[in-house]
Amino acid sequence: MSGQSFHVRRRAVLQAAGVLAVAAGLPRAAAAAESTSAAPDPVAETYHRVLLRHTRWAEQQFDSALGYYRRTDFSFAVVLGNALLLTRGRYDASLAGVDRETLRAHTLATIRHFAASNVVAGGSEWGQTLFFDTTFQSYFVLAARLLWTELDDATRADVDRIVRGQAAYTASLGTGNDPRSGSWTPNGLTGGYQGDTKLEEMGVYAQSLAPALAWAADDPDAPRWRELFGRWSRNETGLPASDLATPTLVDGVPVSDNTATNLYDTFIVENHGSFGPHYQEELWRTSGRNAIHFLLAGRPLPEVLTRQPNGEALWRTILLTMSDAGEPLMPMVDDREHLYGRDVLPLAFRSQVLGDALAARAEAELAARLEPYQDYAPATRITKFSGEPKYEPEARAELAISYLLHEWRATQRGAVTAVSRERLFADSAGVRDFGAGPGLVAQQSAAAWAGAVSKPGFTKFAWQPGHDDWLFALGGGTPMFLPSTGLAVTRRTTQVYRGVRDGFDGSVTVLSFATGRAGFATLPTGSVVYASTGLGDGEGCVSVHNLTMPGVPGLDGDRTYTFAEGTVSIPAADARSLPPGVSRVDDLTFPVTAVRYVRMLGVTPHPVYGYSLFEVEVRNGADGPDLALGGTATASSADTGRAASYTVDGSYSTRWAVSRADRSRADSWLSVDLGSVKGVDRVRLFWETAAGSRYVVQGSVDGSSWRDLASYPDPDVRSIGGWLAVDDRASFVVRGPNPLTVQGDRIVLSDGPAAPVLVEGHVGRVRPGPAPVASGGLRASLVDGYLVVFNLGDTTTTATVTVPLSGEIPLYEGTQRIGSDGSVLTVTLEAGTGRVFAPRFHLDGRVSSATVYNGQSVELSGPRSLVQLTAGTGRARPVAVSPRGTSVVFPEVPAYPLDDLALGCDTFPAPPVLPPGMTDPAAAVDGDARTSWTPGPGGRMVVDLGRSRPLREVVLTWAGGRLPAVALAVSDDGRTYTPVPVPGRTTRRTVVAVRATGRYLAVSTPDWRHGDAPLTSVSVR
């Protein structure tokens, strides 16, 4: 597993999150008398308005014949949103589409019915099943409690039986599977993390117990329920290497008692076969569902809800993939993408219960988009674009819970002040290689998000300028840069650069395939560089979101493309209203031509279904009659009931389709006889899902000799100018032999035969500048001052890269010869690797050569002259250059890259589960001499070096105070440690020679007492 740590500002993140013990304080129950109270804050007010408008959808689920909301897809769970509207805020019937008394009657009738029909209460319709009836039971019980004074005694008794009986049933399972839930399993308390985390499953066991702990705390079995709730909850985010290093008590139990492994060791979660941030957020979604029961019941929260082991490390992963909409970006599995209604609760829990100011900003950004999102078709719904039908009532319930969490915060602790959007992304900035297993290298910068994905089936290089949730399509099988997400990776090499060690954040990844290699570099400025040997025809694919969703930045009904030859605006696909079933309409125009026959000749069929057309229209002039209507149509083949004649019958309910045997045939055709020779200049094709991705429209006077009239795709943009700007939000600079094209919402940066190509991606509009020239087959790019070099060949290569001169001369690590034609740097790269060179210095003046040793030391030589030298920190000084060489050292500047394996690495224990008296061990590896780790009594910290490697030296630097005794140990797996001898007594700078191999280094202070020296740094070489 990769060891490149995500160096996000951990102290800043934890300062933003008030992870403290929480006392309850919401009213235990509320009457359904009409409320006129204002929402507690603007975000909660938005939630209230969204729920009111969503009630129009909710009422469609009411079955007047039955007298209650339907059970299908748990639609009856709308009662929680209803209960919120009946008890909180001003009810607006004009928004809801139903008067308040009708909504009240529908809600109470539904609660009565489903309370009685629950299996736990003696019914047979629903309930008890852990996956996923208990989730909706949780919502249902909350709704009942909000309307408690309106319920009859029998219904109250049924609700109480549900609460107690569910806890009893779950407790009876112990750590075993629920026989009612099919194959769903938490794998006991062992869990699982590869492909399908058991974080969610363990959370379901815990949440089935929470209502009883809140509403039936007097039950004799409550102590047993509490024990099981704590065990499942603490293990949700289990990771042995971290947990075993954490003796801290949470709800009276040591974290080190955890047994589950539900996370990768780089704090990332998989579900449905790949990284699933929706499921990584499940920790706080479940916590929100559970917390609101305790808060509404007036009971203290279990400690684990606010002190979740490894929870903050998981949150940093979410921050590393955060978009401008408060939803994490999803470069792999995308079955939960743009599912805004389901994204609210995790952020509301973190912001309102944990007091996290970063989450508060993310929540505010998401709330600002909820109403524009709700307006988009299908209107009033709050889950669209992905997900399952049951998510709609679930989102309604979670929005109601989020409102209640805001209400609790306002009454108990005061509003959380959200940070600015700029602060959110500044504090989220970082880079991490999550390892070959998860198959993700991700970088968050102030200006963009970027990632290299090598997970099978999702292989791509992803980039989202401006963190824009709706600019480029990243998820699932959508290709980006690489020609296909199905390319099989045969080798993966990654180098991650971290600010604390290297002076800048960045990464370079090279993936090898059977057909060649491709590299991808991410930079701290938000720019990216892609280079390829030529992996296939039409390489450099980028899909653009183009919708009409007023209120969401960029989704204003078109996208504008600027390129060397001009500007083109392409309207959004949703601007055209398509008949039901029609997936695409192609309009092809050409010079007026006299023909009798017009045909579509396929080139590339739909990969599964071949070709299928509803209608073919042929005209002469945009306002001319449809000359094909009622004509005679024939085809190369036809499926049963899908005759060619259906394409000229004027109906969109009938269609032609190739025969099943011909679905894979590329050159299938359909021809229309116009009856006589006529002038035509356009054809319109109405496609079913089986739409040809490439085809030719031909004409003939005799039905035998054909001439090409038009072809699809016919690009909206075709440029040989080498650059393209998208809405001035992003730009591509392309260096390669093929033109770039835009067809609809699809960009192809190298549209032609497979050929080597290099692409620079910039935030905003940028035109090409002078490019570096590399020898020896290397590929090089100069972007924002950073020099990116790839070796996509098969052998280690030493070659030169000539950087063009323009103003001050950037100086990179290594030796550069500087002449009138540029600065020539000698570079050595192994096969299939890349490197990012940061400018360590800038030179104003001329020298013959410069050798940069690190970020503080450089040697200049050349004719005697006075030059100005500026270090990477901006510190400048004049330097007298001599032919014999002049050495220059900036002692106040870090000597990047620093030789320290521990810098910026993960450390354990971690907040908020630090033992008494201990401060955050991350302070010992943050590279800041002003911070330090206070061990506390018997303190022990563990540094995760990322992977096992030979260790030769450990250096411990202590601040003032008595020096405690020190013990060191190393481990490969974080479970079993081997002691490392520490000879002699501890000194202010304790140097320990090590002859061991390991990934985890433990530093212990067995005799530490109050007032002893804190540890300023742990350095490992």
Side-chain angles (χ1 to χ4, degrees), residues 323-348:
S323 76
D324 66 343
E327 175 189 65
L329 296 164
M330 302 184 189
M332 298 190 216
V333 61
D334 62 349
D335 59 353
R336 303 296 182 265
E337 188 176 30
H338 296 135
L339 203 66
Y340 282 1
R342 294 296 318 281
D343 292 324
V344 171
L345 184 53
L347 299 176

Side-chain angles (χ1 to χ4, degrees), residues 741-789:
T741 62
V742 182
Q743 171 67 43
D745 300 325
R746 186 171 185 263
I747 301 169
V748 180
L749 298 169
S750 180
D751 198 355
V757 64
L758 187 144
V759 179
E760 299 166 1
H762 300 263
V763 179
R765 186 197 287 197
V766 175
R767 300 191 181 198
V773 177
S775 66
L778 301 183
R779 308 299 303 279
S781 176
L782 184 63
V783 178
D784 305 327
Y786 292 86
L787 180 63
V788 179
V789 186

Side-chain angles (χ1 to χ4, degrees), residues 645-937:
S645 59
Y646 289 140
T647 63
V648 292
D649 65 356
S651 170
Y652 300 117
S653 62
T654 59
R655 60 184 171 89
W656 161 76
V658 296
S659 67
R660 292 175 180 267
D662 274 6
R663 284 179 172 179
S664 61
R665 176 180 168 180
D667 62 347
S668 293
W669 56 266
L670 179 134
S671 175
V672 177
D673 182 354
L674 305 181
S676 62
V677 175
K678 299 175 182 178
V680 300
D681 71 349
R682 65 195 64 226
V683 172
R684 175 175 287 177
L685 303 179
F686 293 78
W687 292 96
E688 195 252 354
T689 299
S693 58
R694 288 185 181 272
Y695 60 88
V696 178
V697 170
Q698 298 177 315
S700 173
V701 295
D702 59 8
S704 298
S705 299
W706 298 90
R707 59 182 294 190
D708 292 349
L709 303 178
S711 63
Y712 180 93
D714 182 20
D716 299 290
V717 172
R718 184 180 181 86
S719 174
I720 58 173
W723 66 276
L724 177 75
V726 185
D727 271 355
D728 288 345
R729 293 173 176 269
S731 298
F732 299 96
V733 173
V734 184
R735 308 186 195 280
N738 293 324
L740 62 85
T741 62
V742 182
Q743 171 67 43
D745 300 325
R746 186 171 185 263
I747 301 169
V748 180
L749 298 169
S750 180
D751 198 355
V757 64
L758 187 144
V759 179
E760 299 166 1
H762 300 263
V763 179
R765 186 197 287 197
V766 175
R767 300 191 181 198
V773 177
S775 66
L778 301 183
R779 308 299 303 279
S781 176
L782 184 63
V783 178
D784 305 327
Y786 292 86
L787 180 63
V788 179
V789 186
F790 296 101
N791 179 4
L792 303 182
D794 296 324
T795 60
T796 298
T797 299
T798 298
T800 59
V801 179
T802 301
V803 180
L805 299 182
S806 177
E808 291 187 331
I809 302 170
L811 301 182
Y812 304 98
E813 289 171 50
T815 298
Q816 294 169 247
R817 292 182 291 101
I818 302 170
S820 59
D821 59 341
S823 174
V824 182
L825 177 69
T826 299
V827 176
T828 299
L829 286 179
E830 294 182 4
T833 65
R835 184 174 176 184
V836 178
F837 293 84
R840 298 302 186 190
F841 300 92
H842 282 87
L843 176 69
D844 187 0
R846 286 291 186 267
V847 298
S848 299
S849 69
T851 299
V852 175
Y853 299 105
N854 52 50
Q856 70 174 201
S857 179
V858 60
E859 184 172 347
L860 306 175
S861 63
R864 295 186 183 278
S865 62
L866 187 66
V867 301
Q868 184 85 353
L869 188 66
T870 304
T873 59
R875 185 67 62 90
R877 68 174 61 170
V879 176
V881 179
S882 72
R884 301 180 63 180
T886 302
S887 294
V888 184
V889 177
F890 288 75
E892 70 280 13
V893 175
Y896 296 126
L898 302 176
D899 180 21
D900 185 350
L901 300 175
L903 278 172
C905 287
D906 292 323
T907 55
F908 317 127
V913 286
L914 295 173
M918 181 183 289
T919 60
D920 191 351
V925 295
D926 64 359
D928 188 344
R930 298 167 299 178
T931 64
S932 58
W933 171 58
T934 299

Side-chain angles (χ1 to χ4, degrees), residues 491 510-513 515-519 531-535 792-794 831-832:
R491 182 177 179 234
V510 175
L511 302 181
S512 299
F513 310 98
T515 54
R517 286 193 171 111
S532 164
T533 57
L535 298 173
L792 303 182
D794 296 324

